[in-house]
Amino acid sequence: MRWPACASVVALVVAAASSAGAEEPRFVPTAALVASGQSETVKVDVGGAHSEERRSDLRFGPAVGLGHRLTAPGRLSLDGHGSVGLGPNLGGGRYLLPLREDVAAAFRPRAWLALRGGLGAGLTIDLGRGATSYVELALPVSVTLVEVVELAYRPFLSLPVASEERTTFGGTRSLSASTALVPLDFTLRFRVPALGF
Amino acid sequence: MVPSTSRRLFLELVGAHAALLGVAGSGLVALPGCGVYRAETGDAFEPWSFPGGETVPERVAARAGILAASPHNTQPWGIAIAPDAVEIRARLDRHLGAMDSLRRELHVGLGCCVENVAVAAAAVGRAPTVTLLPSPADPALVARVALVPAPPSRSPLFDAIAARHTNRGAYVDGAALPGLEQALRAVADDPRVGLRFLGSAPERARFRDETVLATEAICADAEMSADSGRWYRHTAEEIQEHRDGPTLDATGAGAATRTVGKALGRPSDDTMNEYWIDATRTRQTTGTAFVLLHTAAENLREDQLRVGRVYQRLHLWATSQGLAMQPLNQLPERQDREEARGMTPRFGPTLAELVGRERRAQMAFRIGVPWDDASASPRRPLAWVLS
């Protein structure tokens, strides 16, 4: 299984790179592997006493997306990228569905190199426990080589959108995503201009 | 020998790889042929559908009995149903060997069974009268629960029977629960069973440290370690065949760890010990408080049965309150081992300091607010334990 997959990836990169010299289409499909952090908070309020604790988890998974140019191509341009992913978190074993849209300024100091930085937003839906779903406000930065291989770092502010409440010893236990800065978010993305339009 | 940290890192990396393949250890994905099975599935978990379609009051009470807590899920009971009573007998062959050198925990587990029978009987219109060790000539007959028709008296404890599971995951550490100690004492309500509540930060830290040391001592004791591991059920086939023992899904470990653990096959005793020590040091000693149940120093079997009834009652009550509990008996286990082998006491004196030198610590556990729900453990069906 491993070698045909690797060969397919290599072929994809070569095909994409061979078309990278031409003007990039306005819309470019992408495929990516994402490793992202996640933070949850539990709050306990019983008898006037308040306790709170936070824990982190790690999510891995693929994502597919569409890069889109917002301005005319050139040494400096404005690009967008929307994606949808799917993958489990390692601790909870629940599948998460992240929906993301980023807008970034792209600077191309060389024909084979693009540097991007901008703002992003997203919604990650916890398919196993909706109460720990969250909104993301992100600062994505990335390096793209030959407009095909992109390494992205996307720290984000996590904001909860729901919570799970339970009665506990006459009080309340509440579980939700944390309001927290999540510094861990890395993406290895492949842009496929050959499939662009 | 590969350092434990490197081995753990390797397993975590493998877990990450497994995650990339879309494998989820919580049971969302089962991979037949790869050893990964869905949690809590199969006939081994059917008894948790309680009371199910059962309508005969004595059988409802007996079905409740098989859902009681027991050491390492050994379920050391046999049950006999008579028209006006349910009898619980000790299955002395279902013991933990060196892990329970004086058979203390076996009898505590039997007491748990007695309590579940009594609670369920009352709920289905049979007023219970419990007689412990009714026949001195037959010490295996640990309890006779006489049942007399009465108006049903359903309590929150009855409703908790099918929801009660030992939770070995992380609890909110140090979560303040004002009034918890008083509530536990009110529920325990047995003049022969004392309760020592360790709720302050220094008390919890000391108990945690001593429990970790006791765990390490157990793991270093080859006989104790082997007798503990003998009950561990790793594969789906083992679970369905035996329907007892600890399982990977009930360990409170993360999903990736459980997935990788199932896929890699049964771990060695050394690996299991490593994980147990690490779990004890981290998530399994979190919570609001540790509690010790103690009795008179004579260490009578009847008192051990009473401790079991109290522990089961406390756990049912905690479940009804949204709280979690987990036995942490490493200290009493080492105390018993020291006595049975004539070893220099190390952990016995620690317990004596905590409960008083004229008392005997029988059972220790933690209680608190859990992060996650616990998984059910397999159960031998009523048909297997009826006599």
Side-chain angles (χ1 to χ4, degrees):
Chain A
M1 276 295 284
R2 186 183 307 169
W3 292 115
C6 284
S8 299
V9 169
V10 170
L12 201 65
V13 171
V14 168
S18 67
S19 67
E23 180 178 302
E24 187 178 280
R26 185 170 179 190
F27 297 97
V28 177
T30 66
L33 293 173
V34 182
S36 181
Q38 183 189 2
S39 182
E40 297 176 345
T41 296
V42 64
K43 298 177 183 177
V44 181
D45 291 280
V46 173
H50 176 81
S51 307
E52 195 168 316
E53 194 169 272
R54 184 182 294 182
R55 71 178 177 187
S56 300
D57 204 342
L58 195 60
R59 171 182 66 83
F60 284 95
V64 294
L66 192 68
H68 47 95
R69 273 189 291 108
L70 299 174
T71 61
R75 193 176 167 86
L76 202 60
S77 64
L78 200 63
D79 293 345
H81 184 266
S83 69
V84 56
L86 183 68
N89 49 17
L90 297 188
R94 305 184 310 277
Y95 277 86
L96 304 180
L97 183 78
L99 307 166
R100 294 176 163 182
E101 176 64 32
D102 298 341
V103 174
F107 173 56
R108 295 178 177 80
R110 297 286 185 274
W112 50 269
L113 177 66
L115 306 174
R116 291 181 173 87
L119 297 172
L123 171 66
T124 295
I125 301 171
D126 190 326
L127 298 176
R129 186 170 61 194
T132 43
S133 301
Y134 52 93
V135 161
E136 304 171 351
L137 299 177
L139 289 175
V141 294
S142 70
V143 174
T144 307
L145 304 176
V146 295
E147 291 296 344
V148 171
V149 180
E150 182 175 11
L151 295 170
Y153 174 58
R154 190 179 181 277
F156 61 89
L157 175 66
S158 160
L159 298 170
V161 297
S163 69
E164 173 190 277
E165 311 267 332
R166 287 185 185 178
T167 301
T168 298
F169 192 46
T172 305
R173 163 198 170 275
S174 173
L175 175 67
S176 69
S178 302
T179 299
L181 181 64
V182 180
L184 179 62
D185 190 291
F186 294 95
T187 299
L188 173 62
R189 181 178 296 131
F190 295 94
R191 294 173 170 261
V192 192
L195 298 179
F197 53 95
Chain B
M1 183 164 167
V2 178
S4 62
T5 51
S6 298
R7 186 159 50 228
R8 188 171 307 119
L9 178 62
F10 171 74
L11 286 175
E12 287 172 356
L13 288 173
V14 174
H17 183 70
L20 280 172
L21 295 174
V23 176
S26 67
L28 292 177
V29 174
L31 295 178
C34 298
V36 180
Y37 53 88
R38 191 181 291 269
E40 299 179 310
T41 54
D43 292 341
F45 300 90
E46 191 281 334
W48 291 105
S49 301
F50 171 82
E54 191 60 73
T55 56
V56 176
E58 290 76 13
R59 291 184 62 86
V60 172
R63 283 200 65 171
I66 66 174
L67 298 181
S70 64
H72 275 49
N73 194 26
T74 48
Q75 305 168 47
W77 42 70
I79 296 178
I81 298 176
D84 59 350
V86 172
E87 293 185 340
I88 294 98
R89 304 188 66 85
R91 284 287 305 274
L92 297 173
D93 56 314
R94 300 183 67 81
H95 63 82
L96 280 171
M99 276 295 287
D100 187 21
S101 302
L102 303 181
R103 304 298 179 259
R104 169 187 51 82
E105 290 186 14
L106 185 149
H107 286 85
V108 170
L110 289 165
C112 293
C113 179
V114 172
E115 184 65 16
N116 259 20
V117 169
V119 167
V124 293
R126 294 290 185 270
T129 301
V130 176
T131 304
L132 298 177
L133 300 171
S135 175
D138 186 5
L141 178 60
V142 296
R144 186 170 193 279
V145 184
L147 304 177
V148 175
S153 176
R154 185 165 176 149
S155 71
L157 299 188
F158 175 80
D159 295 331
I161 287 174
R164 183 212 64 82
H165 306 296
T166 294
N167 192 320
R168 297 180 181 83
Y171 301 178
V172 180
D173 203 21
L177 297 174
L180 178 62
E181 180 178 359
Q182 294 87 333
L184 290 175
R185 291 186 186 285
V187 173
D189 192 27
D190 187 321
R192 288 171 62 168
V193 177
L195 188 152
R196 178 79 162 91
F197 186 87
L198 306 173
S200 71
E203 288 174 327
R204 288 188 290 112
R206 185 179 178 221
F207 184 87
R208 175 181 295 134
D209 292 344
E210 287 293 310
T211 296
V212 170
L213 290 173
T215 307
E216 292 172 342
I218 290 171
C219 293
D221 186 318
E223 194 176 357
M224 288 187 86
S225 179
D227 286 347
S228 173
R230 190 167 295 125
W231 283 90
Y232 173 65
R233 310 306 183 200
H234 187 72
T235 67
E237 292 74 23
E238 287 175 346
I239 291 171
Q240 296 305 325
E241 178 186 351
H242 297 284
R243 307 195 188 185
D244 59 18
T247 64
L248 189 52
D249 286 319
T251 60
T257 300
R258 287 184 280 118
T259 297
V260 171
K262 291 173 183 177
L264 290 181
R266 187 183 183 92
S268 67
D269 285 352
D270 284 347
T271 299
M272 286 199 289
N273 287 339
E274 250 180 67
Y275 272 87
W276 186 28
I277 291 170
D278 184 63
T280 304
R281 191 175 286 127
T282 55
R283 68 176 183 275
Q284 291 187 358
T285 47
T286 55
T288 293
F290 302 108
V291 179
L292 289 158
L293 301 178
H294 53 90
T295 64
E298 287 80 5
N299 201 20
L300 303 173
R301 287 296 187 219
E302 181 177 340
D303 284 344
Q304 292 168 358
L305 294 169
R306 285 173 172 269
V307 166
R309 292 195 66 188
V310 168
Y311 176 79
Q312 185 71 15
R313 192 178 317 135
L314 289 172
H315 202 171
L316 291 174
W317 172 83
T319 301
S320 73
Q321 297 293 311
L323 299 174
M325 282 173 45
Q326 178 199 351
L328 286 171
N329 278 318
Q330 290 90 314
L331 285 166
E333 285 161 358
R334 283 303 293 179
Q335 172 180 251
D336 292 350
R337 180 68 165 164
E338 289 166 356
E339 287 185 22
R341 295 292 302 274
M343 299 162 65
T344 303
R346 163 61 181 87
F347 296 100
T350 298
L351 287 171
E353 281 183 48
L354 291 171
V355 301
R357 299 194 181 281
E358 69 286 358
R359 304 290 291 177
R360 176 87 180 189
Q362 301 284 0
M363 179 87 184
F365 61 91
R366 64 171 175 143
I367 184 169
V369 180
W371 269 93
D372 303 298
D373 294 334
S375 288
S377 53
R379 282 290 187 269
R380 304 164 77 231
L382 186 60
W384 290 18
V385 304
L386 278 178
S387 58

